[in-house]
Amino acid sequence: MAMLNFKVCLWILTFQMLIDSSLEIIDSHVIQVWSAPGGTTRLPCDLAAPVRDVAMMLWFKDGDRMPIYTVDFRNGPSVHWATAGEFGARTHFVLNESDPSSAHLAVEKVVRYDEGIYRCRIDYVDSPTRNYRVNLTVIVPPEPPRLYDSEGREILGNFAGPFREGQNLLLSCQAAGGKPPPDVSWYQGADRLAFTREGSVCQLHIPTLSREMSGAKFQCRVEPPLLEPQFRDVTIKLFLKPQFVRVTGSGATRAGQNRSFVCTTRGSKPAPNIDWFINSRLVDSTMTEVEVDGDVTKSILTWHVRREDSGRQLVCRVSNPWFPAYTIEDSLMFEVMYPPVSQISLIEPKEPRLLREDENAVLLCSADASPAAYNFTFYKGTEVYQIRDDPIAGIAVEDDRLMLQGLRRHHSTVYRCKARNSEGSALSDPLTLNVLTRPECSAGSVVQQLAGAPGGEVRARCSVNAPSSRDAGPLRFYWTYNGTKDVLPVPASNVTVMGSSSTVIHGLHDDEDEDLGWLACWASNDIGNQREPCLFRIMPAALPEPPSNCEVTNEVLRCDAGHDGGLSQQFLLEALEEVRPRQPTVDENEISTMNDQGISGRGLSEAVYRYRNDKPQFSLDALSPGRYTFLIYAETPRGRSPRPAALRSVSIRTVEDLDRPGSLQTMTPGPTSPPVQTDNSVALLVGAALSLVLLTILTTLCVALVVMCKKKNRPRRGAEPDTISRRNIGVSMYGASTISPSIVPTVVVRGHRGSRVLAARWSGVLDDAPLAVLALDTRPHDSDSSRSDEDHHETSLTRHIDDTSQIDT
């Protein structure tokens, strides 16, 4: 570290001494050195003493006070310092100790800015400082010649241009720099065309470029003194106009075939643009193929000849983009043979809106064909049936005309015609005739059937085919009812009209027999009245089918509706609650004996809930918690479905029931049941037998009273309430074998206003166990209304039992 600091201090002291002593240079001997660019030169500096007597050697350039190169001989081996940068990298000091006079500073790859006066300063140990001056002169040849056109653009390659035929030519050759300035001249071959002495620019001027100048070569020569001359060759690139064009390939061509046409041109440079036109419309260039052979260019157009090309002009146009105002072209005419293109039109009457029933029409078949068409035929309908002369039907075909007499609705169809020539034939596009006619039934002569029931209503919808009201006026409908006795008009209040359809609602009498009659629909417009009516035969409706696929989800019961029998149907839900009677403690043998008598361990109440809906969908949130059996009926004016759909033992739970002990959803454990005492089994069996005997006697009395009441009072039909209140429930233990399923005994007890009615009856079998239902009616009664309500209650319950029996059957 100490040695490094010492060297730095020594360098700073030496640098200061150099600055102070550089001003002592006055006049000294100047050594002249010449060097060529890019070479290596030597700047001599004679030491004039042995190396041991020299302290330092320093080189300066021009008037700079900073040395560009330093050699320190004071501390053993010499130490060299060169100025930083590109020049320092190209310099080094050369010393031969045996010949100190040959010492010099070598500069490699001399460039022009290395030129200048260099000063070599030698500091001796014991002698005065000596300075040498070296004048380095760099010989500068001229720059390579550059060529420019008349617009001052430099020509970089070996080609000048492109120039156009007939254009004025001016070329300049410039050789910048050089000591001394060189001579510049233009040559074509051995002929000198232009010369400039000791100048930097020489121009070549040709007033008009002819076709012969295309590809001509010119040379620019730069000749500096004492140096080798420099050359620059350039070739003239000349664009030429096309001189000739011709199209070949004419002749007749069949439509649909490909035809090749050739357009030939020569003399253009570069190769020209060849464009094809058909009646001034440019043809897509992708359909052409270009061939170039020297100055001859061919364009081959492959064209799919079409019918539309007949008589059109095909033009080949040749142009050179360097001569936008100059084009040449040739052309020919298309000759196309093609089969007829037929067209059918209505010539009588002139306007299609005048085509009315019973009028006449004339159709014309025209054809665009080459050669002309000579045979015409007519067709009708989507199936394309040929039309032939038929005087009876009023059809006549005469050459290219079709005459229709006495128009009818069946004439409203599509018509086509076909024309023929030697190239083929073709059908025309369809022409639709819309004959304005009277209304006709959409169903034709088909008699439609309706389902109805005596005392009910039937709804019929009549649709007719008729022209639009804008052409044939509005439609007017009227209906008649054809009964077994007479024909009656249907009141207009029962008829609705919407567009080309009419709907009627007709009520049927209760005394109708098996033949419920007919409905006839008539329509008319401005053309006339409907010739034949639309007929509807009213047939007796069938009973609806019960719903199917019933299920309960989220306290909503849903079913699939069955066939309605031909009438609009509603759906009735009856809910029967299952009741668990008190179970006696008996052994297994006694329980088996009771089940054989018809006891299933549970019973059914009467219908505790009824509800009607237009869809087989019912909400069950109105039911109290429990287990239910649901009966779902379909009802129409004709009656109920023969048997209901049934869902058995459906559990209904509510929020208040969630924590009840014993519930499936409770989270509170319920009390444990006491163990069954087998010691009381004999007593319980005796009590059950006595109860069975008493209940049998009571039931027999009830049956007798019911028979007597039915003989005395006949029940009347009334409106069925949607909901029946329930107060108490009991279960019978009698088996089904003792009474026929078809017998439903009923006991009705009537009293003063506010009394209760007790009704008991046998019900059908649910889960194969015959049950009897005991109910109390708490509704108030008066002398008339109570009787009607009780009779209706009795009738409704009887019907319910019948339905339940049918389910089990």
Side-chain angles (χ1 to χ4, degrees), residues 642-671:
R643 54 197 302 257
L647 285 179
R648 304 180 181 181
S649 297
V650 179
S651 178
I652 300 298
R653 290 287 184 267
T654 60
V655 175
E656 295 80 69
D657 223 18
L658 290 177
D659 202 36
R660 179 179 299 175
S663 172
L664 292 178
Q665 303 181 20
T666 184
M667 297 181 65
T668 303

PDB file of all heavy atoms in Angstrom, residues 642-671:
ATOM      1  N   PRO A 642    -115.158 -43.605 -11.518  1.00  0.00           N
ATOM      2  CA  PRO A 642    -115.731 -44.798 -10.864  1.00  0.00           C
ATOM      3  C   PRO A 642    -115.042 -45.132  -9.539  1.00  0.00           C
ATOM      4  O   PRO A 642    -115.682 -45.614  -8.609  1.00  0.00           O
ATOM      5  CB  PRO A 642    -115.513 -45.911 -11.898  1.00  0.00           C
ATOM      6  CG  PRO A 642    -115.377 -45.200 -13.199  1.00  0.00           C
ATOM      7  CD  PRO A 642    -114.746 -43.883 -12.909  1.00  0.00           C
ATOM      8  N   ARG A 643    -113.803 -44.871  -9.414  1.00  0.00           N
ATOM      9  CA  ARG A 643    -113.094 -45.137  -8.171  1.00  0.00           C
ATOM     10  C   ARG A 643    -112.009 -44.074  -8.005  1.00  0.00           C
ATOM     11  O   ARG A 643    -111.492 -43.546  -8.984  1.00  0.00           O
ATOM     12  CB  ARG A 643    -112.470 -46.529  -8.152  1.00  0.00           C
ATOM     13  CG  ARG A 643    -111.558 -46.850  -9.314  1.00  0.00           C
ATOM     14  CD  ARG A 643    -111.317 -48.343  -9.427  1.00  0.00           C
ATOM     15  NE  ARG A 643    -110.738 -48.881  -8.217  1.00  0.00           N
ATOM     16  CZ  ARG A 643    -109.467 -49.205  -8.067  1.00  0.00           C
ATOM     17  NH1 ARG A 643    -108.637 -49.029  -9.073  1.00  0.00           N
ATOM     18  NH2 ARG A 643    -109.013 -49.705  -6.933  1.00  0.00           N
ATOM     19  N   PRO A 644    -111.666 -43.735  -6.789  1.00  0.00           N
ATOM     20  CA  PRO A 644    -110.672 -42.696  -6.568  1.00  0.00           C
ATOM     21  C   PRO A 644    -109.254 -43.264  -6.545  1.00  0.00           C
ATOM     22  O   PRO A 644    -109.051 -44.464  -6.466  1.00  0.00           O
ATOM     23  CB  PRO A 644    -111.063 -42.140  -5.195  1.00  0.00           C
ATOM     24  CG  PRO A 644    -111.578 -43.364  -4.474  1.00  0.00           C
ATOM     25  CD  PRO A 644    -112.272 -44.215  -5.510  1.00  0.00           C
ATOM     26  N   ALA A 645    -108.307 -42.353  -6.598  1.00  0.00           N
ATOM     27  CA  ALA A 645    -106.924 -42.699  -6.288  1.00  0.00           C
ATOM     28  C   ALA A 645    -106.735 -42.537  -4.781  1.00  0.00           C
ATOM     29  O   ALA A 645    -107.313 -41.633  -4.175  1.00  0.00           O
ATOM     30  CB  ALA A 645    -105.972 -41.794  -7.045  1.00  0.00           C
ATOM     31  N   ALA A 646    -105.972 -43.423  -4.154  1.00  0.00           N
ATOM     32  CA  ALA A 646    -105.867 -43.430  -2.697  1.00  0.00           C
ATOM     33  C   ALA A 646    -104.409 -43.432  -2.267  1.00  0.00           C
ATOM     34  O   ALA A 646    -103.559 -44.092  -2.866  1.00  0.00           O
ATOM     35  CB  ALA A 646    -106.574 -44.643  -2.108  1.00  0.00           C
ATOM     36  N   LEU A 647    -104.128 -42.644  -1.229  1.00  0.00           N
ATOM     37  CA  LEU A 647    -102.852 -42.663  -0.530  1.00  0.00           C
ATOM     38  C   LEU A 647    -103.137 -43.002   0.931  1.00  0.00           C
ATOM     39  O   LEU A 647    -103.906 -42.293   1.597  1.00  0.00           O
ATOM     40  CB  LEU A 647    -102.153 -41.299  -0.618  1.00  0.00           C
ATOM     41  CG  LEU A 647    -101.501 -40.943  -1.944  1.00  0.00           C
ATOM     42  CD1 LEU A 647    -100.885 -39.553  -1.856  1.00  0.00           C
ATOM     43  CD2 LEU A 647    -100.437 -41.957  -2.312  1.00  0.00           C
ATOM     44  N   ARG A 648    -102.556 -44.054   1.466  1.00  0.00           N
ATOM     45  CA  ARG A 648    -102.886 -44.541   2.799  1.00  0.00           C
ATOM     46  C   ARG A 648    -101.763 -44.259   3.789  1.00  0.00           C
ATOM     47  O   ARG A 648    -100.586 -44.252   3.440  1.00  0.00           O
ATOM     48  CB  ARG A 648    -103.155 -46.042   2.753  1.00  0.00           C
ATOM     49  CG  ARG A 648    -104.241 -46.422   1.755  1.00  0.00           C
ATOM     50  CD  ARG A 648    -104.461 -47.912   1.738  1.00  0.00           C
ATOM     51  NE  ARG A 648    -105.481 -48.290   0.776  1.00  0.00           N
ATOM     52  CZ  ARG A 648    -105.884 -49.529   0.566  1.00  0.00           C
ATOM     53  NH1 ARG A 648    -105.351 -50.512   1.259  1.00  0.00           N
ATOM     54  NH2 ARG A 648    -106.812 -49.795  -0.325  1.00  0.00           N
ATOM     55  N   SER A 649    -102.181 -44.044   5.012  1.00  0.00           N
ATOM     56  CA  SER A 649    -101.272 -43.899   6.150  1.00  0.00           C
ATOM     57  C   SER A 649    -100.211 -42.830   5.877  1.00  0.00           C
ATOM     58  O   SER A 649     -99.003 -43.070   5.971  1.00  0.00           O
ATOM     59  CB  SER A 649    -100.597 -45.242   6.478  1.00  0.00           C
ATOM     60  OG  SER A 649    -101.556 -46.199   6.861  1.00  0.00           O
ATOM     61  N   VAL A 650    -100.647 -41.633   5.470  1.00  0.00           N
ATOM     62  CA  VAL A 650     -99.756 -40.520   5.235  1.00  0.00           C
ATOM     63  C   VAL A 650     -99.665 -39.705   6.515  1.00  0.00           C
ATOM     64  O   VAL A 650    -100.686 -39.257   7.048  1.00  0.00           O
ATOM     65  CB  VAL A 650    -100.237 -39.650   4.066  1.00  0.00           C
ATOM     66  CG1 VAL A 650     -99.296 -38.474   3.866  1.00  0.00           C
ATOM     67  CG2 VAL A 650    -100.324 -40.484   2.799  1.00  0.00           C
ATOM     68  N   SER A 651     -98.464 -39.487   7.003  1.00  0.00           N
ATOM     69  CA  SER A 651     -98.258 -38.754   8.251  1.00  0.00           C
ATOM     70  C   SER A 651     -98.127 -37.278   7.957  1.00  0.00           C
ATOM     71  O   SER A 651     -97.372 -36.874   7.073  1.00  0.00           O
ATOM     72  CB  SER A 651     -97.000 -39.271   8.956  1.00  0.00           C
ATOM     73  OG  SER A 651     -96.763 -38.543  10.132  1.00  0.00           O
ATOM     74  N   ILE A 652     -98.879 -36.453   8.722  1.00  0.00           N
ATOM     75  CA  ILE A 652     -98.821 -34.999   8.583  1.00  0.00           C
ATOM     76  C   ILE A 652     -98.291 -34.441   9.899  1.00  0.00           C
ATOM     77  O   ILE A 652     -98.834 -34.700  10.966  1.00  0.00           O
ATOM     78  CB  ILE A 652    -100.206 -34.407   8.260  1.00  0.00           C
ATOM     79  CG1 ILE A 652    -100.724 -35.005   6.952  1.00  0.00           C
ATOM     80  CG2 ILE A 652    -100.122 -32.894   8.172  1.00  0.00           C
ATOM     81  CD1 ILE A 652     -99.858 -34.690   5.763  1.00  0.00           C
ATOM     82  N   ARG A 653     -97.227 -33.659   9.852  1.00  0.00           N
ATOM     83  CA  ARG A 653     -96.633 -33.055  11.030  1.00  0.00           C
ATOM     84  C   ARG A 653     -96.595 -31.548  10.870  1.00  0.00           C
ATOM     85  O   ARG A 653     -96.429 -31.038   9.771  1.00  0.00           O
ATOM     86  CB  ARG A 653     -95.195 -33.558  11.214  1.00  0.00           C
ATOM     87  CG  ARG A 653     -95.136 -35.027  11.630  1.00  0.00           C
ATOM     88  CD  ARG A 653     -95.579 -35.197  13.087  1.00  0.00           C
ATOM     89  NE  ARG A 653     -95.436 -36.555  13.539  1.00  0.00           N
ATOM     90  CZ  ARG A 653     -96.405 -37.471  13.489  1.00  0.00           C
ATOM     91  NH1 ARG A 653     -97.560 -37.136  12.980  1.00  0.00           N
ATOM     92  NH2 ARG A 653     -96.204 -38.684  13.921  1.00  0.00           N
ATOM     93  N   THR A 654     -96.768 -30.807  11.992  1.00  0.00           N
ATOM     94  CA  THR A 654     -96.685 -29.346  11.990  1.00  0.00           C
ATOM     95  C   THR A 654     -95.614 -28.924  12.968  1.00  0.00           C
ATOM     96  O   THR A 654     -95.012 -29.736  13.665  1.00  0.00           O
ATOM     97  CB  THR A 654     -98.034 -28.711  12.378  1.00  0.00           C
ATOM     98  OG1 THR A 654     -98.373 -29.170  13.683  1.00  0.00           O
ATOM     99  CG2 THR A 654     -99.115 -29.113  11.395  1.00  0.00           C
ATOM    100  N   VAL A 655     -95.409 -27.602  13.074  1.00  0.00           N
ATOM    101  CA  VAL A 655     -94.347 -27.078  13.939  1.00  0.00           C
ATOM    102  C   VAL A 655     -94.647 -27.391  15.397  1.00  0.00           C
ATOM    103  O   VAL A 655     -93.769 -27.709  16.198  1.00  0.00           O
ATOM    104  CB  VAL A 655     -94.211 -25.563  13.718  1.00  0.00           C
ATOM    105  CG1 VAL A 655     -93.199 -24.969  14.683  1.00  0.00           C
ATOM    106  CG2 VAL A 655     -93.828 -25.292  12.289  1.00  0.00           C
ATOM    107  N   GLU A 656     -95.940 -27.310  15.828  1.00  0.00           N
ATOM    108  CA  GLU A 656     -96.277 -27.573  17.219  1.00  0.00           C
ATOM    109  C   GLU A 656     -96.039 -29.033  17.595  1.00  0.00           C
ATOM    110  O   GLU A 656     -95.962 -29.386  18.773  1.00  0.00           O
ATOM    111  CB  GLU A 656     -97.742 -27.230  17.488  1.00  0.00           C
ATOM    112  CG  GLU A 656     -98.060 -25.738  17.336  1.00  0.00           C
ATOM    113  CD  GLU A 656     -98.240 -25.361  15.874  1.00  0.00           C
ATOM    114  OE1 GLU A 656     -99.140 -25.738  15.306  1.00  0.00           O
ATOM    115  OE2 GLU A 656     -97.470 -24.708  15.288  1.00  0.00           O
ATOM    116  N   ASP A 657     -95.933 -29.901  16.590  1.00  0.00           N
ATOM    117  CA  ASP A 657     -95.801 -31.334  16.838  1.00  0.00           C
ATOM    118  C   ASP A 657     -94.343 -31.779  16.921  1.00  0.00           C
ATOM    119  O   ASP A 657     -94.070 -32.943  17.137  1.00  0.00           O
ATOM    120  CB  ASP A 657     -96.476 -32.097  15.690  1.00  0.00           C
ATOM    121  CG  ASP A 657     -97.304 -33.251  16.221  1.00  0.00           C
ATOM    122  OD1 ASP A 657     -97.622 -33.256  17.408  1.00  0.00           O
ATOM    123  OD2 ASP A 657     -97.619 -34.131  15.417  1.00  0.00           O
ATOM    124  N   LEU A 658     -93.410 -30.850  16.679  1.00  0.00           N
ATOM    125  CA  LEU A 658     -92.022 -31.270  16.545  1.00  0.00           C
ATOM    126  C   LEU A 658     -91.440 -31.822  17.839  1.00  0.00           C
ATOM    127  O   LEU A 658     -90.628 -32.717  17.842  1.00  0.00           O
ATOM    128  CB  LEU A 658     -91.160 -30.081  16.062  1.00  0.00           C
ATOM    129  CG  LEU A 658     -91.398 -29.644  14.626  1.00  0.00           C
ATOM    130  CD1 LEU A 658     -90.529 -28.429  14.314  1.00  0.00           C
ATOM    131  CD2 LEU A 658     -91.122 -30.773  13.677  1.00  0.00           C
ATOM    132  N   ASP A 659     -91.880 -31.250  19.023  1.00  0.00           N
ATOM    133  CA  ASP A 659     -91.270 -31.645  20.292  1.00  0.00           C
ATOM    134  C   ASP A 659     -92.156 -32.576  21.112  1.00  0.00           C
ATOM    135  O   ASP A 659     -91.993 -32.725  22.305  1.00  0.00           O
ATOM    136  CB  ASP A 659     -90.915 -30.394  21.092  1.00  0.00           C
ATOM    137  CG  ASP A 659     -89.832 -30.689  22.123  1.00  0.00           C
ATOM    138  OD1 ASP A 659     -88.940 -31.496  21.817  1.00  0.00           O
ATOM    139  OD2 ASP A 659     -89.891 -30.124  23.209  1.00  0.00           O
ATOM    140  N   ARG A 660     -93.164 -33.126  20.491  1.00  0.00           N
ATOM    141  CA  ARG A 660     -94.070 -34.031  21.188  1.00  0.00           C
ATOM    142  C   ARG A 660     -93.362 -35.352  21.440  1.00  0.00           C
ATOM    143  O   ARG A 660     -92.799 -35.930  20.528  1.00  0.00           O
ATOM    144  CB  ARG A 660     -95.333 -34.261  20.358  1.00  0.00           C
ATOM    145  CG  ARG A 660     -96.319 -35.229  21.013  1.00  0.00           C
ATOM    146  CD  ARG A 660     -97.556 -35.393  20.162  1.00  0.00           C
ATOM    147  NE  ARG A 660     -98.218 -34.108  20.019  1.00  0.00           N
ATOM    148  CZ  ARG A 660     -99.283 -33.938  19.241  1.00  0.00           C
ATOM    149  NH1 ARG A 660     -99.738 -34.952  18.558  1.00  0.00           N
ATOM    150  NH2 ARG A 660     -99.854 -32.759  19.155  1.00  0.00           N
ATOM    151  N   PRO A 661     -93.400 -35.853  22.666  1.00  0.00           N
ATOM    152  CA  PRO A 661     -92.739 -37.149  22.942  1.00  0.00           C
ATOM    153  C   PRO A 661     -93.313 -38.252  22.070  1.00  0.00           C
ATOM    154  O   PRO A 661     -94.524 -38.348  21.877  1.00  0.00           O
ATOM    155  CB  PRO A 661     -93.029 -37.387  24.429  1.00  0.00           C
ATOM    156  CG  PRO A 661     -93.301 -36.022  24.982  1.00  0.00           C
ATOM    157  CD  PRO A 661     -93.954 -35.237  23.899  1.00  0.00           C
ATOM    158  N   GLY A 662     -92.433 -39.054  21.562  1.00  0.00           N
ATOM    159  CA  GLY A 662     -92.864 -40.166  20.714  1.00  0.00           C
ATOM    160  C   GLY A 662     -92.888 -39.808  19.247  1.00  0.00           C
ATOM    161  O   GLY A 662     -93.054 -40.675  18.418  1.00  0.00           O
ATOM    162  N   SER A 663     -92.793 -38.485  18.905  1.00  0.00           N
ATOM    163  CA  SER A 663     -92.789 -38.090  17.500  1.00  0.00           C
ATOM    164  C   SER A 663     -91.458 -38.486  16.863  1.00  0.00           C
ATOM    165  O   SER A 663     -90.418 -38.467  17.489  1.00  0.00           O
ATOM    166  CB  SER A 663     -92.997 -36.581  17.378  1.00  0.00           C
ATOM    167  OG  SER A 663     -92.808 -36.188  16.057  1.00  0.00           O
ATOM    168  N   LEU A 664     -91.534 -38.770  15.577  1.00  0.00           N
ATOM    169  CA  LEU A 664     -90.317 -39.157  14.867  1.00  0.00           C
ATOM    170  C   LEU A 664     -89.343 -37.990  14.767  1.00  0.00           C
ATOM    171  O   LEU A 664     -88.155 -38.177  14.588  1.00  0.00           O
ATOM    172  CB  LEU A 664     -90.660 -39.664  13.458  1.00  0.00           C
ATOM    173  CG  LEU A 664     -91.425 -40.979  13.413  1.00  0.00           C
ATOM    174  CD1 LEU A 664     -91.730 -41.333  11.976  1.00  0.00           C
ATOM    175  CD2 LEU A 664     -90.637 -42.075  14.097  1.00  0.00           C
ATOM    176  N   GLN A 665     -89.865 -36.707  14.869  1.00  0.00           N
ATOM    177  CA  GLN A 665     -89.015 -35.550  14.708  1.00  0.00           C
ATOM    178  C   GLN A 665     -88.673 -34.890  16.029  1.00  0.00           C
ATOM    179  O   GLN A 665     -88.076 -33.830  16.048  1.00  0.00           O
ATOM    180  CB  GLN A 665     -89.687 -34.525  13.780  1.00  0.00           C
ATOM    181  CG  GLN A 665     -90.021 -35.108  12.421  1.00  0.00           C
ATOM    182  CD  GLN A 665     -90.670 -34.071  11.526  1.00  0.00           C
ATOM    183  OE1 GLN A 665     -90.551 -32.894  11.765  1.00  0.00           O
ATOM    184  NE2 GLN A 665     -91.358 -34.544  10.516  1.00  0.00           N
ATOM    185  N   THR A 666     -89.143 -35.440  17.188  1.00  0.00           N
ATOM    186  CA  THR A 666     -88.905 -34.792  18.476  1.00  0.00           C
ATOM    187  C   THR A 666     -87.461 -34.950  18.885  1.00  0.00           C
ATOM    188  O   THR A 666     -86.786 -35.888  18.504  1.00  0.00           O
ATOM    189  CB  THR A 666     -89.823 -35.362  19.562  1.00  0.00           C
ATOM    190  OG1 THR A 666     -89.603 -34.626  20.753  1.00  0.00           O
ATOM    191  CG2 THR A 666     -89.502 -36.828  19.853  1.00  0.00           C
ATOM    192  N   MET A 667     -86.988 -33.988  19.668  1.00  0.00           N
ATOM    193  CA  MET A 667     -85.636 -34.047  20.216  1.00  0.00           C
ATOM    194  C   MET A 667     -85.658 -34.234  21.729  1.00  0.00           C
ATOM    195  O   MET A 667     -84.625 -34.254  22.382  1.00  0.00           O
ATOM    196  CB  MET A 667     -84.853 -32.770  19.867  1.00  0.00           C
ATOM    197  CG  MET A 667     -84.655 -32.570  18.373  1.00  0.00           C
ATOM    198  SD  MET A 667     -83.714 -31.102  18.014  1.00  0.00           S
ATOM    199  CE  MET A 667     -82.150 -31.558  18.755  1.00  0.00           C
ATOM    200  N   THR A 668     -86.904 -34.319  22.329  1.00  0.00           N
ATOM    201  CA  THR A 668     -87.056 -34.536  23.775  1.00  0.00           C
ATOM    202  C   THR A 668     -87.449 -35.981  24.004  1.00  0.00           C
ATOM    203  O   THR A 668     -88.454 -36.436  23.470  1.00  0.00           O
ATOM    204  CB  THR A 668     -88.131 -33.603  24.345  1.00  0.00           C
ATOM    205  OG1 THR A 668     -87.756 -32.262  24.023  1.00  0.00           O
ATOM    206  CG2 THR A 668     -88.252 -33.777  25.841  1.00  0.00           C
ATOM    207  N   PRO A 669     -86.688 -36.721  24.739  1.00  0.00           N
ATOM    208  CA  PRO A 669     -87.054 -38.135  24.956  1.00  0.00           C
ATOM    209  C   PRO A 669     -88.353 -38.253  25.738  1.00  0.00           C
ATOM    210  O   PRO A 669     -88.593 -37.538  26.714  1.00  0.00           O
ATOM    211  CB  PRO A 669     -85.855 -38.681  25.741  1.00  0.00           C
ATOM    212  CG  PRO A 669     -85.245 -37.485  26.378  1.00  0.00           C
ATOM    213  CD  PRO A 669     -85.460 -36.337  25.455  1.00  0.00           C
ATOM    214  N   GLY A 670     -89.235 -39.116  25.304  1.00  0.00           N
ATOM    215  CA  GLY A 670     -90.542 -39.310  25.946  1.00  0.00           C
ATOM    216  C   GLY A 670     -90.446 -40.297  27.092  1.00  0.00           C
ATOM    217  O   GLY A 670     -89.446 -41.007  27.256  1.00  0.00           O
ATOM    218  N   PRO A 671     -91.483 -40.345  27.908  1.00  0.00           N
ATOM    219  CA  PRO A 671     -91.483 -41.285  29.047  1.00  0.00           C
ATOM    220  C   PRO A 671     -91.536 -42.711  28.565  1.00  0.00           C
ATOM    221  O   PRO A 671     -92.144 -43.014  27.543  1.00  0.00           O
ATOM    222  CB  PRO A 671     -92.739 -40.893  29.821  1.00  0.00           C
ATOM    223  CG  PRO A 671     -93.621 -40.248  28.799  1.00  0.00           C
ATOM    224  CD  PRO A 671     -92.733 -39.547  27.838  1.00  0.00           C
TER     225      PRO A 671
END
